[in-house]
Amino acid sequence: MKIVNKPLLFFTFCTPMVLHADEEERFNAYLNIEQQASADISGSSSSFKQKRIQINLDKELYLDDMNTMSVGLGLERIDITSNALLPGSNAKIPNEVKGGRINLSWSHEFESGKELNLSGALGSLSDKPFKGSDSLSKELEASLLMPTDAGNAWIVGMGASDDGGLNDLPSLAFQWNKSERFQALIGLPFIEVNWQPFEQVELTAILADKESELSTSYNFNDDTAISLSHGKGGWTGRRFARSDKKSFMNYEETRTALTLSQNFGPAVFGLSGGVITDRSLSENKDGSTSNSDLNIKDAHFIALNFGMEF
């Protein structure tokens, strides 16, 4: 187990995880605390700074030889320091965006080896979370994994969410397990490749709808690793405070990070630092194209990570 600041794919149903009879139920916990330096907003006298705290808990429940469930809980808080106004509405940027997310997934393995995966999520990330339906986000996902004789698999899936985007389109992917050192998930509209060219070196590439990352890691030994990553991500918050319309606040960024991780038994600690570029903050109405963006200048960041699996 190691921390490499890897973003979560929107198409989580395309990487099914099934526990078999010889496996045990597991509990995973993850904590991330990140502080970003203050940076100026282009064309303005205002500045922007944010601090993020994320907590994720996940429990796998073994039901029987053919069925498993997973229950997840995520909590997040984003503290923003800025006196800038959102473009278009001229509303003040909220000082705090927070919320939570609950995930429930179920997997069934047929005697033929095929696997059916169903999952649902309900969450809210807003300046006033869980206060009315406008502050909620809902997702449903389903997929069917069909193994081939060569140890690979085809995956077909479908997702539905009130945020729209490519997640609502049918998906098709091929899971290619060439060897223990090379695996790829090739599909539409996403790709994930993991390659270990040498015993101590691992390369990962993720290309998805709203998140992407390229990373390389070097393992000094079984417990210590260092990684370098470059990727695009961000967050979307729902602003229930607006009485005249349902609006979304979107933050996007590109970051380059260097992470050092150290295992201590079932626990892993990570220290990350780097630079954030291509930053923007925008406001959308009912998921439509944003009026305009606030362009935020580059800034450095530092993050502490803690994870545990037992």
Side-chain angles (χ1 to χ4, degrees), residues 22-274:
D22 58 344
E23 296 186 88
E24 299 179 353
E25 297 180 359
R26 288 175 291 183
F27 177 79
N28 300 283
Y30 174 77
L31 169 66
N32 178 68
I33 302 175
E34 178 182 306
Q35 178 67 62
Q36 299 181 5
S38 178
D40 294 335
I41 297 176
S42 299
S44 169
S45 59
S46 302
S47 61
F48 181 90
K49 181 173 71 173
Q50 65 176 345
K51 176 182 177 182
R52 300 182 68 178
I53 300 176
Q54 298 165 295
I55 300 174
N56 289 297
L57 306 174
D58 183 76
K59 174 64 176 177
E60 295 176 1
L61 304 173
Y62 172 71
L63 301 180
D64 54 43
D65 291 350
M66 297 296 183
N67 298 279
T68 60
M69 290 187 65
S70 177
V71 180
L73 172 65
L75 301 173
E76 182 168 7
R77 172 171 170 166
I78 305 170
D79 293 322
I80 301 174
T81 303
S82 178
N83 58 358
L85 302 179
L86 288 167
S89 66
N90 287 326
K92 186 181 183 303
I93 296 176
N95 296 326
E96 181 182 82
V97 179
K98 57 186 177 181
R101 178 183 175 93
I102 300 174
N103 303 275
L104 179 64
S105 63
W106 171 72
S107 295
H108 175 76
E109 183 178 7
F110 298 95
E111 293 183 359
S112 63
K114 297 179 180 179
E115 297 178 11
L116 175 65
N117 298 272
L118 303 175
S119 66
L122 177 67
S124 179
L125 184 65
S126 173
D127 52 351
K128 293 187 176 181
F130 297 103
K131 292 189 176 181
S133 59
D134 285 350
S135 68
L136 300 177
S137 62
K138 301 169 284 292
E139 295 180 12
L140 292 174
E141 299 172 344
S143 70
L144 179 65
L145 182 146
M146 299 171 286
T148 66
D149 295 336
N152 305 311
W154 286 98
I155 305 172
V156 293
M158 183 67 191
S161 71
D162 48 10
D163 286 339
L166 295 179
N167 198 31
D168 289 349
L169 299 177
S171 62
L172 174 65
F174 182 69
Q175 185 172 303
W176 182 23
N177 301 312
K178 181 180 180 180
S179 65
E180 291 184 358
R181 291 192 174 187
F182 186 92
Q183 302 88 36
L185 185 65
I186 305 172
L188 296 173
F190 54 88
I191 296 175
E192 179 173 356
V193 178
N194 293 279
W195 180 35
Q196 190 177 2
F198 307 103
E199 183 68 27
Q200 295 175 293
V201 178
E202 182 176 352
L203 305 175
T204 301
I206 298 174
L207 300 175
D209 179 16
K210 299 180 180 179
E211 296 185 343
S212 61
E213 184 184 68
L214 297 174
S215 68
T216 179
S217 62
Y218 180 84
N219 301 306
F220 296 98
N221 50 51
D222 291 339
D223 296 322
T224 307
I226 190 170
S227 66
L228 177 65
S229 62
H230 178 79
K232 179 181 179 180
W235 51 265
T236 297
R238 294 167 175 263
R239 302 198 63 235
F240 181 72
R242 305 292 302 281
S243 60
D244 58 335
K245 62 183 180 181
K246 179 173 68 173
S247 62
F248 298 81
M249 189 167 65
N250 304 305
Y251 171 78
E252 296 182 354
E253 66 176 26
T254 299
R255 66 171 55 197
T256 301
L258 184 67
T259 302
L260 178 66
S261 59
Q262 175 68 45
N263 289 359
F264 296 95
V268 57
F269 292 88
L271 174 64
S272 303

